[in-house]
Amino acid sequence: MTTTWENQYASRVAGMKSSTIRELLKLTQQPEVISFAGGMPAPELFPRERFKEAACRVLGERGEIALQYSTTEGWPELREMIGRHVTRYGIQAEADDILITTGSQQALDLVGKLLIDPGEEVVVGAPTYLGALQAFGAYQAAFLSVPLDEMGMTTEPVEALLKRRPSFMYVLPNFQNPAGVTLTLERRMILVQLARAYGVPIVEDDPYGQLRYEGEHLPPLYALDAELAASDGGQPNVIYMSTFSKTLAPGLRLAWVIAPRQVLGRLNQLKQGADLHTSTLVQMIAFEVGRGGFLDEHIQRLRAVYRERRDAMLGALDSFMPPEVSWSSPQGGLFLWAELPEGMDSQVVLEEALKKQVAFVPGSAFFGVPQDGRRFMRLNFSNARPERIREGIQRLGGCLGRLRPPMAAQQPTSAPSIG
Ligand SMILES: Cc1ncc(COP(=O)(O)O)c(C=O)c1O
Protein backbone atom coordinates (compact mmCIF):
# COMPACT_ATOMS: atom_id res chain seq x y z
CA MET A 1 0.00 0.00 0.00
CA THR A 2 1.34 3.44 -0.92
CA THR A 3 0.86 6.75 0.83
CA THR A 4 -2.11 8.88 -0.13
CA TRP A 5 -0.34 12.15 0.29
CA GLU A 6 -3.48 14.28 0.40
CA ASN A 7 -4.57 12.41 3.55
CA GLN A 8 -1.23 12.89 5.23
CA TYR A 9 -1.04 16.68 5.11
CA ALA A 10 -1.59 18.63 8.33
CA SER A 11 -4.84 20.57 8.51
CA ARG A 12 -2.94 23.85 8.27
CA VAL A 13 -2.12 23.32 4.61
CA ALA A 14 -5.73 22.67 3.61
CA GLY A 15 -6.53 26.18 2.40
CA MET A 16 -3.06 27.02 1.13
CA LYS A 17 -2.52 28.29 -2.38
CA SER A 18 0.59 29.34 -4.27
CA SER A 19 1.11 33.08 -4.34
CA THR A 20 -0.50 34.66 -7.40
CA ILE A 21 2.57 36.83 -7.71
CA ARG A 22 5.08 34.01 -7.74
CA GLU A 23 2.96 32.21 -10.35
CA LEU A 24 2.79 35.39 -12.41
CA LEU A 25 6.51 35.95 -12.10
CA LYS A 26 7.10 32.69 -13.95
CA LEU A 27 5.19 34.16 -16.91
CA THR A 28 6.95 37.48 -16.73
CA GLN A 29 10.49 36.10 -16.82
CA GLN A 30 10.50 36.36 -20.63
CA PRO A 31 12.43 39.48 -21.64
CA GLU A 32 9.75 40.68 -24.09
CA VAL A 33 7.18 41.03 -21.28
CA ILE A 34 7.00 44.46 -19.64
CA SER A 35 6.31 43.49 -16.07
CA PHE A 36 4.69 45.75 -13.51
CA ALA A 37 3.95 42.62 -11.47
CA GLY A 38 6.71 41.79 -8.95
CA GLY A 39 8.15 44.12 -6.32
CA MET A 40 11.48 43.81 -8.05
CA PRO A 41 14.26 46.35 -7.72
CA ALA A 42 16.04 47.59 -10.86
CA PRO A 43 18.68 44.92 -11.58
CA GLU A 44 21.02 47.36 -13.31
CA LEU A 45 21.35 49.22 -9.99
CA PHE A 46 22.61 46.24 -8.03
CA PRO A 47 26.11 47.29 -6.89
CA ARG A 48 27.72 44.28 -8.50
CA GLU A 49 31.33 45.47 -8.47
CA ARG A 50 31.10 46.31 -4.80
CA PHE A 51 29.62 42.85 -4.14
CA LYS A 52 32.43 41.22 -6.10
CA GLU A 53 35.12 43.05 -4.14
CA ALA A 54 33.34 42.38 -0.85
CA ALA A 55 32.97 38.67 -1.59
CA CYS A 56 36.68 38.41 -2.51
CA ARG A 57 37.70 40.25 0.64
CA VAL A 58 35.48 38.17 2.92
CA LEU A 59 36.54 34.86 1.41
CA GLY A 60 40.19 35.89 1.13
CA GLU A 61 40.58 37.38 4.59
CA ARG A 62 37.97 35.63 6.75
CA GLY A 63 36.89 32.62 4.72
CA GLU A 64 37.19 30.20 7.67
CA ILE A 65 34.60 32.21 9.56
CA ALA A 66 32.40 33.09 6.59
CA LEU A 67 31.96 29.46 5.54
CA GLN A 68 31.36 28.20 9.07
CA TYR A 69 28.15 27.88 11.14
CA SER A 70 27.46 31.01 13.16
CA THR A 71 25.11 32.27 15.87
CA THR A 72 21.36 32.50 15.32
CA GLU A 73 21.23 36.20 16.29
CA GLY A 74 23.33 37.15 13.30
CA TRP A 75 26.77 38.50 12.46
CA PRO A 76 27.61 41.06 15.20
CA GLU A 77 29.21 43.63 12.89
CA LEU A 78 26.17 43.55 10.62
CA ARG A 79 23.81 44.00 13.56
CA GLU A 80 25.86 46.95 14.77
CA MET A 81 25.73 48.48 11.31
CA ILE A 82 21.95 48.03 11.19
CA GLY A 83 21.70 49.63 14.64
CA ARG A 84 23.51 52.73 13.30
CA HIS A 85 21.47 52.70 10.09
CA VAL A 86 18.07 52.64 11.77
CA THR A 87 18.88 55.63 13.99
CA ARG A 88 18.61 57.77 10.81
CA TYR A 89 15.02 56.54 10.59
CA GLY A 90 14.16 57.24 14.22
CA ILE A 91 14.85 53.90 15.94
CA GLN A 92 17.29 53.51 18.83
CA ALA A 93 18.61 49.95 18.80
CA GLU A 94 21.80 48.17 19.79
CA ALA A 95 23.09 44.97 18.25
CA ASP A 96 21.38 42.97 21.01
CA ASP A 97 17.99 44.40 20.05
CA ILE A 98 18.35 43.02 16.51
CA LEU A 99 17.81 39.55 15.03
CA ILE A 100 18.98 38.87 11.48
CA THR A 101 16.50 36.86 9.41
CA THR A 102 16.51 35.18 6.02
CA GLY A 103 14.42 37.93 4.41
CA SER A 104 11.53 39.73 6.09
CA GLN A 105 9.44 36.89 4.81
CA GLN A 106 11.11 34.65 7.38
CA ALA A 107 10.49 37.29 10.04
CA LEU A 108 6.77 37.23 9.18
CA ASP A 109 6.75 33.45 9.37
CA LEU A 110 8.53 33.44 12.74
CA VAL A 111 6.16 36.08 14.11
CA GLY A 112 3.22 33.95 12.97
CA LYS A 113 4.76 30.91 14.64
CA LEU A 114 5.35 32.86 17.84
CA LEU A 115 2.01 34.62 18.18
CA ILE A 116 -0.78 32.84 16.30
CA ASP A 117 -2.74 29.92 17.72
CA PRO A 118 -4.99 28.13 15.19
CA GLY A 119 -8.13 30.18 14.56
CA GLU A 120 -6.81 33.31 16.30
CA GLU A 121 -7.54 36.64 14.67
CA VAL A 122 -5.01 39.03 13.16
CA VAL A 123 -5.85 42.62 12.24
CA VAL A 124 -4.62 43.51 8.74
CA GLY A 125 -5.19 46.29 6.25
CA ALA A 126 -7.47 45.70 3.28
CA PRO A 127 -5.58 45.43 1.01
CA THR A 128 -2.32 44.18 2.53
CA TYR A 129 0.90 42.37 1.65
CA LEU A 130 0.09 39.02 0.13
CA GLY A 131 3.17 37.31 1.61
CA ALA A 132 2.00 38.21 5.12
CA LEU A 133 -1.42 36.70 4.45
CA GLN A 134 0.36 33.55 3.31
CA ALA A 135 2.71 33.45 6.28
CA PHE A 136 0.02 34.07 8.91
CA GLY A 137 -2.48 31.88 7.05
CA ALA A 138 -0.11 28.93 7.45
CA TYR A 139 -0.66 29.23 11.22
CA GLN A 140 -4.43 29.20 10.64
CA ALA A 141 -5.00 32.87 11.39
CA ALA A 142 -8.40 34.40 10.74
CA PHE A 143 -8.13 37.91 9.32
CA LEU A 144 -9.88 41.03 10.56
CA SER A 145 -9.59 43.54 7.76
CA VAL A 146 -9.40 47.30 8.19
CA PRO A 147 -10.05 49.40 5.09
CA LEU A 148 -7.35 51.78 3.90
CA ASP A 149 -7.74 55.24 2.46
CA GLU A 150 -5.15 57.65 1.07
CA MET A 151 -3.82 58.25 4.64
CA GLY A 152 -3.16 54.55 5.24
CA MET A 153 -5.04 52.19 7.54
CA THR A 154 -8.22 53.84 8.80
CA THR A 155 -8.33 54.02 12.58
CA GLU A 156 -12.09 54.22 13.29
CA PRO A 157 -12.75 50.46 12.99
CA VAL A 158 -9.66 49.46 14.97
CA GLU A 159 -10.85 49.84 18.57
CA ALA A 160 -13.82 47.50 18.08
CA LEU A 161 -11.49 44.92 16.55
CA LEU A 162 -8.96 45.20 19.37
CA LYS A 163 -11.75 44.45 21.85
CA ARG A 164 -11.92 41.00 20.25
CA ARG A 165 -8.39 40.36 21.60
CA PRO A 166 -6.72 39.54 18.28
CA SER A 167 -3.27 38.03 18.26
CA PHE A 168 -1.70 41.21 16.84
CA MET A 169 -2.17 44.03 14.37
CA TYR A 170 -0.05 43.96 11.19
CA VAL A 171 0.81 47.44 9.94
CA LEU A 172 2.71 48.63 6.85
CA PRO A 173 3.44 52.27 7.69
CA ASN A 174 5.27 53.52 4.60
CA PHE A 175 4.29 53.33 0.91
CA GLN A 176 2.17 50.35 1.66
CA ASN A 177 2.32 47.22 -0.47
CA PRO A 178 0.10 47.16 -2.52
CA ALA A 179 -1.69 50.51 -2.17
CA GLY A 180 1.37 52.82 -2.03
CA VAL A 181 -0.19 54.88 0.80
CA THR A 182 1.57 56.16 3.94
CA LEU A 183 0.11 56.19 7.43
CA THR A 184 -0.12 59.76 8.78
CA LEU A 185 1.60 60.68 12.05
CA GLU A 186 -1.74 61.21 13.73
CA ARG A 187 -2.93 57.73 12.77
CA ARG A 188 0.37 56.18 13.85
CA MET A 189 -0.14 57.71 17.30
CA ILE A 190 -3.73 56.50 17.47
CA LEU A 191 -2.80 52.94 16.51
CA VAL A 192 0.07 52.81 18.98
CA GLN A 193 -2.07 54.18 21.82
CA LEU A 194 -4.98 51.87 21.09
CA ALA A 195 -2.73 48.83 20.83
CA ARG A 196 -1.13 49.66 24.18
CA ALA A 197 -4.50 50.29 25.79
CA TYR A 198 -5.79 46.86 24.71
CA GLY A 199 -2.51 44.98 25.15
CA VAL A 200 -2.44 43.89 21.52
CA PRO A 201 1.03 43.86 19.91
CA ILE A 202 1.76 45.66 16.65
CA VAL A 203 3.88 44.02 13.96
CA GLU A 204 5.36 46.86 11.89
CA ASP A 205 6.67 45.78 8.48
CA ASP A 206 8.74 48.51 6.87
CA PRO A 207 10.66 47.42 3.78
CA TYR A 208 10.05 50.70 1.92
CA GLY A 209 10.55 53.50 4.48
CA GLN A 210 14.11 54.11 3.22
CA LEU A 211 12.83 54.75 -0.30
CA ARG A 212 11.08 58.10 0.10
CA TYR A 213 11.05 60.39 -2.94
CA GLU A 214 9.32 63.42 -1.45
CA GLY A 215 8.09 64.72 1.90
CA GLU A 216 9.46 64.13 5.39
CA HIS A 217 10.21 60.76 6.96
CA LEU A 218 7.67 59.93 9.68
CA PRO A 219 8.60 58.22 12.97
CA PRO A 220 8.12 54.45 13.01
CA LEU A 221 5.39 53.04 15.25
CA TYR A 222 8.21 51.27 17.07
CA ALA A 223 9.70 54.64 18.11
CA LEU A 224 6.36 56.20 19.08
CA ASP A 225 5.56 53.18 21.21
CA ALA A 226 9.02 53.20 22.83
CA GLU A 227 8.41 56.82 23.93
CA LEU A 228 5.08 55.88 25.47
CA ALA A 229 6.60 52.83 27.18
CA ALA A 230 9.33 55.05 28.66
CA SER A 231 6.76 57.45 30.08
CA ASP A 232 4.11 54.95 31.28
CA GLY A 233 6.64 52.38 32.50
CA GLY A 234 4.93 49.58 30.54
CA GLN A 235 6.41 47.01 28.15
CA PRO A 236 7.28 47.99 24.58
CA ASN A 237 4.54 46.70 22.30
CA VAL A 238 5.93 46.74 18.74
CA ILE A 239 7.88 44.19 16.70
CA TYR A 240 9.59 46.06 13.85
CA MET A 241 11.09 44.54 10.71
CA SER A 242 12.90 45.79 7.64
CA THR A 243 15.08 44.33 4.90
CA PHE A 244 18.02 44.77 2.53
CA SER A 245 15.87 43.38 -0.30
CA LYS A 246 14.82 46.75 -1.67
CA THR A 247 18.04 48.64 -0.91
CA LEU A 248 20.89 46.19 -1.63
CA ALA A 249 19.50 43.08 -3.33
CA PRO A 250 16.60 40.68 -2.70
CA GLY A 251 18.73 37.69 -3.71
CA LEU A 252 20.70 38.14 -0.47
CA ARG A 253 17.62 37.10 1.54
CA LEU A 254 18.72 39.34 4.37
CA ALA A 255 16.52 41.28 6.78
CA TRP A 256 16.20 42.18 10.45
CA VAL A 257 13.76 42.26 13.34
CA ILE A 258 13.94 44.79 16.18
CA ALA A 259 11.84 43.86 19.19
CA PRO A 260 11.81 43.73 22.99
CA ARG A 261 14.61 41.39 24.08
CA GLN A 262 12.35 38.72 25.56
CA VAL A 263 10.48 38.55 22.23
CA LEU A 264 13.77 38.36 20.31
CA GLY A 265 14.82 35.46 22.54
CA ARG A 266 11.71 33.54 21.55
CA LEU A 267 12.07 34.39 17.87
CA ASN A 268 15.65 33.24 18.12
CA GLN A 269 14.54 29.83 19.43
CA LEU A 270 12.05 29.50 16.60
CA LYS A 271 14.65 30.51 14.03
CA GLN A 272 16.95 27.79 15.33
CA GLY A 273 14.27 25.29 14.38
CA ALA A 274 13.77 26.89 10.98
CA ASP A 275 17.33 27.34 9.64
CA LEU A 276 19.81 27.58 12.57
CA HIS A 277 20.99 30.94 11.25
CA THR A 278 21.01 33.10 8.15
CA SER A 279 23.97 32.46 5.83
CA THR A 280 27.18 33.65 7.51
CA LEU A 281 28.77 34.30 4.14
CA VAL A 282 25.90 36.48 2.95
CA GLN A 283 25.83 38.47 6.19
CA MET A 284 29.54 39.15 6.09
CA ILE A 285 29.42 40.19 2.44
CA ALA A 286 26.45 42.49 3.07
CA PHE A 287 28.35 44.11 5.92
CA GLU A 288 31.40 44.69 3.69
CA VAL A 289 29.16 46.13 0.97
CA GLY A 290 27.20 48.43 3.25
CA ARG A 291 30.01 49.73 5.47
CA GLY A 292 31.73 53.11 5.33
CA GLY A 293 28.61 55.03 4.31
CA PHE A 294 28.00 53.04 1.11
CA LEU A 295 24.52 51.91 2.13
CA ASP A 296 23.32 55.49 2.57
CA GLU A 297 24.94 56.66 -0.67
CA HIS A 298 23.40 53.78 -2.56
CA ILE A 299 19.96 54.52 -1.13
CA GLN A 300 20.32 58.12 -2.40
CA ARG A 301 21.03 56.77 -5.90
CA LEU A 302 18.03 54.44 -5.75
CA ARG A 303 15.77 57.28 -4.64
CA ALA A 304 16.76 59.41 -7.64
CA VAL A 305 16.16 56.60 -10.16
CA TYR A 306 12.92 55.35 -8.63
CA ARG A 307 11.54 58.88 -8.29
CA GLU A 308 12.04 59.29 -12.03
CA ARG A 309 10.33 55.95 -12.72
CA ARG A 310 7.41 56.78 -10.47
CA ASP A 311 6.99 60.06 -12.30
CA ALA A 312 7.25 58.26 -15.66
CA MET A 313 4.46 55.93 -14.61
CA LEU A 314 2.25 58.73 -13.27
CA GLY A 315 2.81 60.70 -16.48
CA ALA A 316 2.05 57.68 -18.68
CA LEU A 317 -1.11 56.90 -16.70
CA ASP A 318 -2.24 60.50 -17.26
CA SER A 319 -1.60 60.15 -20.98
CA PHE A 320 -2.95 56.69 -21.70
CA MET A 321 -5.58 55.61 -19.16
CA PRO A 322 -9.25 55.94 -19.92
CA PRO A 323 -10.63 58.84 -17.84
CA GLU A 324 -12.67 56.65 -15.49
CA VAL A 325 -9.57 54.83 -14.16
CA SER A 326 -7.95 56.40 -11.06
CA TRP A 327 -4.73 55.67 -9.14
CA SER A 328 -2.75 56.51 -6.02
CA SER A 329 0.26 58.83 -6.09
CA PRO A 330 2.83 57.32 -3.70
CA GLN A 331 5.53 59.42 -2.03
CA GLY A 332 7.93 56.49 -2.10
CA GLY A 333 8.24 52.72 -2.35
CA LEU A 334 7.74 50.62 -5.44
CA PHE A 335 4.01 50.48 -6.17
CA LEU A 336 0.94 52.35 -7.14
CA TRP A 337 -2.61 51.11 -7.00
CA ALA A 338 -5.15 51.72 -9.72
CA GLU A 339 -8.91 51.43 -9.55
CA LEU A 340 -11.01 50.37 -12.52
CA PRO A 341 -14.59 51.45 -13.09
CA GLU A 342 -17.56 49.45 -11.83
CA GLY A 343 -18.13 46.30 -13.86
CA MET A 344 -14.48 45.72 -14.79
CA ASP A 345 -12.44 42.79 -13.53
CA SER A 346 -8.66 43.18 -13.28
CA GLN A 347 -8.22 39.41 -13.76
CA VAL A 348 -9.82 39.72 -17.21
CA VAL A 349 -7.69 42.78 -17.90
CA LEU A 350 -4.60 40.77 -16.96
CA GLU A 351 -5.44 38.04 -19.47
CA GLU A 352 -5.71 40.67 -22.21
CA ALA A 353 -2.62 42.51 -21.02
CA LEU A 354 -0.54 39.31 -21.10
CA LYS A 355 -1.47 38.90 -24.77
CA LYS A 356 0.10 42.34 -25.27
CA GLN A 357 3.12 41.29 -23.19
CA VAL A 358 2.32 43.43 -20.14
CA ALA A 359 1.84 42.11 -16.60
CA PHE A 360 0.56 43.47 -13.28
CA VAL A 361 -0.96 41.90 -10.17
CA PRO A 362 -4.77 41.85 -9.91
CA GLY A 363 -6.05 43.44 -6.71
CA SER A 364 -7.95 40.44 -5.35
CA ALA A 365 -4.60 38.86 -4.35
CA PHE A 366 -4.23 41.37 -1.51
CA PHE A 367 -7.38 40.91 0.56
CA GLY A 368 -7.48 38.78 3.72
CA VAL A 369 -11.17 38.00 3.63
CA PRO A 370 -13.25 37.32 0.54
CA GLN A 371 -13.90 40.81 -0.68
CA ASP A 372 -14.10 42.55 -3.96
CA GLY A 373 -10.57 43.51 -4.91
CA ARG A 374 -11.34 42.78 -8.51
CA ARG A 375 -11.46 46.38 -9.61
CA PHE A 376 -7.88 47.04 -8.50
CA MET A 377 -4.47 46.58 -10.07
CA ARG A 378 -1.07 46.83 -8.40
CA LEU A 379 1.54 48.41 -10.65
CA ASN A 380 5.26 48.24 -9.85
CA PHE A 381 7.40 51.07 -11.23
CA SER A 382 10.91 50.21 -10.02
CA ASN A 383 11.83 47.39 -12.34
CA ALA A 384 11.45 48.85 -15.85
CA ARG A 385 13.18 51.87 -17.40
CA PRO A 386 11.05 54.99 -18.06
CA GLU A 387 10.63 54.33 -21.80
CA ARG A 388 9.48 50.74 -21.11
CA ILE A 389 7.12 52.01 -18.42
CA ARG A 390 5.56 54.41 -20.92
CA GLU A 391 5.27 51.68 -23.55
CA GLY A 392 3.76 49.22 -21.05
CA ILE A 393 1.21 51.69 -19.71
CA GLN A 394 0.24 52.63 -23.27
CA ARG A 395 -0.44 48.95 -24.04
CA LEU A 396 -2.33 48.54 -20.77
CA GLY A 397 -4.37 51.66 -21.45
CA GLY A 398 -5.25 50.21 -24.86
CA CYS A 399 -6.49 46.97 -23.24
CA LEU A 400 -8.57 48.89 -20.72
CA GLY A 401 -10.05 51.07 -23.44
CA ARG A 402 -11.13 47.98 -25.37
CA LEU A 403 -12.49 46.15 -22.32
CA ARG A 404 -14.36 48.89 -20.48
CA PRO A 405 -18.09 48.52 -20.37
CA PRO A 406 -19.89 51.16 -22.45
CA MET A 407 -21.54 52.68 -19.34
CA ALA A 408 -18.18 53.21 -17.66
CA ALA A 409 -17.17 55.73 -20.30
CA GLN A 410 -19.82 58.11 -18.94
CA GLN A 411 -18.91 57.81 -15.25
CA PRO A 412 -17.10 60.70 -13.59
CA THR A 413 -13.53 60.19 -12.39
CA SER A 414 -13.14 59.82 -8.62
CA ALA A 415 -10.19 59.40 -6.27
CA PRO A 416 -9.32 55.75 -5.64
CA SER A 417 -11.19 54.33 -2.65
CA ILE A 418 -8.29 51.91 -2.01
CA GLY A 419 -10.45 48.96 -1.06
C1 LIG B 1 5.53 44.48 2.86
C2 LIG B 1 6.56 43.45 2.60
N1 LIG B 1 7.00 42.70 3.62
C3 LIG B 1 7.93 41.75 3.43
C4 LIG B 1 8.46 41.51 2.17
C5 LIG B 1 9.46 40.41 2.01
O1 LIG B 1 10.73 40.93 1.86
P1 LIG B 1 12.03 40.05 1.91
O2 LIG B 1 12.58 40.05 0.52
O3 LIG B 1 12.92 40.74 2.88
O4 LIG B 1 11.68 38.68 2.37
C6 LIG B 1 8.03 42.27 1.08
C7 LIG B 1 8.55 42.02 -0.26
O5 LIG B 1 8.13 42.55 -1.24
C8 LIG B 1 7.05 43.27 1.31
O6 LIG B 1 6.58 44.03 0.33
Side-chain angles (χ1 to χ4, degrees):
M1 192 168 140
T2 56
T3 303
T4 307
W5 282 106
E6 289 301 325
N7 298 341
Q8 296 305 119
Y9 299 146
S11 59
R12 74 180 78 88
V13 304
M16 268 188 191
K17 294 193 293 275
S18 262
S19 144
T20 318
I21 300 181
R22 303 234 75 78
E23 293 300 311
L24 249 181
L25 285 181
K26 288 186 206 157
L27 283 177
T28 60
Q29 297 290 319
Q30 300 117 333
E32 58 286 2
V33 173
I34 301 178
S35 178
F36 304 133
M40 305 235 253
E44 67 278 14
L45 298 180
F46 292 146
R48 282 166 47 191
E49 279 308 311
R50 182 127 179 141
F51 268 105
K52 247 160 82 180
E53 288 160 20
C56 278
R57 202 168 322 124
V58 167
L59 286 168
E61 293 170 13
R62 292 196 284 180
E64 297 86 350
I65 301 170
L67 296 172
Q68 190 56 277
Y69 284 117
S70 57
T71 59
T72 307
E73 290 81 353
W75 182 241
E77 285 168 289
L78 180 68
R79 288 190 291 141
E80 281 158 21
M81 186 176 89
I82 291 169
R84 290 190 296 275
H85 185 64
V86 295
T87 46
R88 300 193 202 357
Y89 298 91
I91 292 183
Q92 298 304 322
E94 295 168 15
D96 286 346
D97 302 310
I98 297 170
L99 171 69
I100 302 291
T101 57
T102 306
S104 295
Q105 194 61 40
Q106 182 182 53
L108 292 170
D109 178 65
L110 296 177
V111 162
K113 213 181 236 181
L114 180 67
L115 298 179
I116 303 170
D117 275 321
E120 255 194 306
E121 294 176 322
V122 174
V123 178
V124 297
T128 193
Y129 172 53
L130 171 63
L133 295 175
Q134 280 193 305
F136 305 152
Y139 297 102
Q140 294 162 287
F143 295 109
L144 298 173
S145 295
V146 180
L148 305 188
D149 64 18
E150 62 287 350
M151 294 184 288
M153 195 184 246
T154 51
T155 46
E156 300 75 43
V158 169
E159 185 160 11
L161 299 181
L162 296 183
K163 286 185 180 156
R164 295 165 63 122
R165 303 262 159 226
S167 179
F168 59 90
M169 176 158 58
Y170 173 63
V171 182
L172 297 161
N174 297 311
F175 328 121
Q176 201 254 15
N177 179 3
V181 292
T182 296
L183 198 59
T184 59
L185 180 57
E186 194 192 350
R187 287 195 183 172
R188 289 174 197 230
M189 273 313 291
I190 294 172
L191 290 182
V192 164
Q193 282 166 344
L194 281 174
R196 288 187 76 73
Y198 286 92
V200 174
I202 291 178
V203 175
E204 179 177 23
D205 185 5
D206 185 24
Y208 304 108
Q210 300 158 80
L211 296 175
R212 180 178 270 281
Y213 316 131
E214 62 189 43
E216 291 295 310
H217 177 72
L218 295 172
L221 281 74
Y222 180 93
L224 297 172
D225 175 76
E227 273 173 31
L228 293 182
S231 64
D232 68 20
Q235 292 279 331
N237 198 41
V238 179
I239 300 176
Y240 174 93
M241 60 182 75
S242 187
T243 177
F244 287 119
S245 284
K246 314 298 174 177
T247 52
L248 286 182
L252 293 172
R253 311 309 303 127
L254 202 53
W256 62 90
V257 178
I258 303 179
R261 290 192 186 177
Q262 55 160 306
V263 177
L264 277 192
R266 288 296 193 181
L267 289 172
N268 191 308
Q269 289 168 349
L270 293 170
K271 185 171 162 63
Q272 286 169 16
D275 65 355
L276 299 182
H277 62 79
T278 296
S279 157
T280 323
L281 177 63
V282 164
Q283 293 186 67
M284 290 176 75
I285 292 173
F287 168 70
E288 283 297 322
V289 168
R291 70 189 296 182
F294 179 86
L295 181 58
D296 285 328
E297 288 158 28
H298 188 62
I299 289 172
Q300 296 292 350
R301 277 192 288 278
L302 294 178
R303 285 185 192 145
V305 174
Y306 291 163
R307 181 187 298 117
E308 192 192 359
R309 293 184 182 191
R310 176 204 58 176
D311 293 344
M313 186 169 275
L314 289 171
L317 288 164
D318 270 336
S319 305
F320 301 119
M321 281 293 141
E324 59 278 6
V325 176
S326 54
W327 50 87
S328 61
S329 187
Q331 293 187 314
L334 307 187
F335 306 106
L336 57 81
W337 185 239
E339 183 174 1
L340 306 176
E342 205 68 62
M344 284 195 83
D345 184 338
S346 57
Q347 192 65 47
V348 176
V349 177
L350 177 64
E351 282 157 29
E352 281 305 301
L354 285 172
K355 290 183 199 156
K356 301 282 172 206
Q357 319 265 41
V358 184
F360 63 87
V361 185
S364 40
F366 303 99
F367 289 83
V369 286
Q371 192 174 342
D372 195 0
R374 282 180 310 180
R375 286 199 294 119
F376 296 91
M377 308 189 292
R378 190 191 72 175
L379 300 170
N380 164 267
F381 55 77
S382 57
N383 187 240
R385 293 174 193 269
E387 57 285 2
R388 296 267 289 171
I389 290 179
R390 205 171 158 78
E391 169 65 29
I393 294 293
Q394 184 167 17
R395 290 188 210 166
L396 192 56
C399 294
L400 286 167
R402 284 189 295 281
L403 286 170
R404 71 183 149 160
M407 285 305 291
Q410 283 134 45
Q411 284 178 9
T413 312
S414 61
S417 59
I418 308 290

